[in-house]
Amino acid sequence: MDDLYRDYILEHYRRPHNFGVLESPDASFEGNNPLCGDRITIMLGIRDGVVAEVAFTGRGCAISQASASLLTDEIRGKRVEEVRQMTPDDLLDLLGIEVSPARLKCALLSLDTVSHALAERRPDGPGEPAAPAAAGGES
Amino acid sequence: MAETMTGARALRSAGDPAVEVATGDGPASAAGRAGRPFDPVALRADFPILSTLSHGRPLIYLDSAATSQKPLTVIDAVDRWNRVQNANPHRGIYELAESATNAYEEARARAAAFIGAPDARELVFVRNATEAINLVAYAWGRQSIGRGDVIVLTEMEHHANLVPWQILVQEADADLEFIPFDDEGRLRLDVLDVLLRLKPKLVAFTHVSNTLGTINPVREMTEMAHAAGALVLIDGAQAVPHLPVDVAEIGCDFYAFSGHKMLAPMGSGGLWARRELLEAMPPFLAGGDMIREVHLRRSSWNDVPWKFEAGTPDAAAAVGLAAAVDYLAALGMDAVRAHERDLTAYALETLRREIPGIAIYGPDADHRGGVVAFNLPDVHPHDVAQVLDRHAVAIRAGHHCTMPLHERLDLSATVRASFSVYSTRADVDVLVEGLHDVMRIFGPGA
Ligand SMILES: Cc1ncc(COP(=O)(O)O)c(C=O)c1O
């Protein structure tokens, strides 16, 4: 019935990849979607300009969770510069489902959070966690 | 599976009763229903949108707390205004302008009477409840709230009855206190009792919670607040469409409501306040129509309520509001409440029986308006809403502009089904079927 809830989406939702925490991430950010209360924290371990480790925690709908699961798989091993250049369309391709405008924010939360984490990363602090902050105005 | 239902939906469910209630001698309904038994199935014919399709299926509209649908009499009243009545109220001496002014003021009188206002001039037309509350926060609040003053709210408020007060207390260096609710979603009046010892200037609370559905004991709370010397503002956005409301009997000082939730057009709404309060308050917005005399360096204000109605109003929405009030009055608000109580009881019982593990928030049907917020085990409300949409079931998923309430329940979001006069047991049955489908997709065995 639903193009949205393909088996692999539900599979990523039930058993998300890279779900967990990094002890001392080089970059970290808590993003949220104030409309629906989705909230995820993405942590990155960066070595030699490459995303060596990645993990996420948080809760949200199937779309935002599957998106975080797929995105974290995708960026592990990628150069930070490449990750920075990822576009919403790249992520939607990765998801492989038709996302309605109302759910776009859910689908893109993970990429938005990764972008914020990289933007807030302290340039010279390997092993230094960036202070988590909320993406929206509220807490 | 829902496909098998399609033929049967929108028809009377075996359980849809016609409630026998005398409607008294209220104004004759344009729908011609006065004196007839209240029959939600029959009156659906008055609401054109209820015979539209969504994804090829009959629309099951269960989001009336967000906004209600509109009956033909309201649609026609707005149409008639634009065809043969339109002129700027209060601004012309030609015949058309005079009759436009009369229609606009007649709308005010009908809306005022509907909520039991002793005097039509105590009703200020505004766009919605949000604007009504902001008007009080700015006009009354700026004048009356100073450093160290206390305003008491509740933990179940819609953001519309929270954020304007946050802004006010920040500016005035005043304080907010909150009445919590218990596990059944009922306000803790014992805590109110304690908070009143702080001698608050204002106690502001919702009449009916838009998330928990709780019908608050507004009269008792008003008496308590008054005894402590506080004024009382009630957010009636979820009450006026669903219960008999009489502001004089409640005894409050300010009462806010939105027309669009009570079968009227968007852009109509009211702030009722006691005359002396309105007289003493400075204007909110300034411009045309709210003045008596304007000189280059000073002006004097018009009488109430026009002092608070700067600029050209949404007069078409106001006459639509009058038509909505007539429609509801003809049904009889006691009958409306009886119907929605019955339907809510049916929904609570059916959901609990049919959906294992469902969490439903708020009190029993006797203390609850037609609002049922819930969660399914391990399925996010957005996903529930998405699947239900494919069943043409329109419900709300999210925080419903009550983030603090959700925080208090340690939830990020809920699913909310909400009812109005035209909602039926058949609607609830389709909802339940849709939820079975959600469980099939997301359940452990899926
Ligand atoms: C209890 C309550 N108060 C205030 C509002 C705000 O209404 P409006 O958006 O019409 O101003 C709503 C609407 O959702 C509500 O449910």
Side-chain angles (χ1 to χ4, degrees), chain B residues 65-66 127-131 133 158 160-161 206 208-210 235 237-238 258 260-261 396 400-401 416:
Chain B
R127 282 185 305 140
N128 48 42
T130 301
E131 186 173 306
I133 296 166
H158 187 281
N161 197 28
T206 192
V208 175
S209 162
N210 68 314
D235 173 357
Q238 298 294 348
S258 289
H260 70 92
K261 295 181 195 285
R396 179 93 174 253
H400 328 305
C401 298
R416 181 185 72 182

Side-chain angles (χ1 to χ4, degrees), chain B residues 424-440:
Chain B
T424 61
R425 291 186 176 201
D427 291 341
V428 173
D429 294 343
V430 181
L431 167 68
V432 167
E433 234 178 298
L435 292 175
H436 281 308
D437 199 30
V438 175
M439 302 296 271
R440 253 194 300 277

Side-chain angles (χ1 to χ4, degrees), chain A residues 4-20 56 58-70, chain B residues 377-380 383 387 436-446:
Chain A
L4 213 49
Y5 299 114
R6 303 255 176 91
D7 286 346
Y8 67 91
I9 295 287
L10 290 171
E11 189 51 34
H12 275 280
Y13 173 54
R14 292 209 184 88
R15 280 172 282 275
H17 302 180
N18 313 309
F19 196 86
F56 80 99
R59 56 182 182 178
C61 64
I63 304 304
S64 74
Q65 293 283 295
S67 151
S69 175
L70 284 156
Chain B
D378 299 323
V379 192
H380 191 280
D383 296 314
V387 175
H436 281 308
D437 199 30
V438 175
M439 302 296 271
R440 253 194 300 277
I441 294 172
F442 284 92

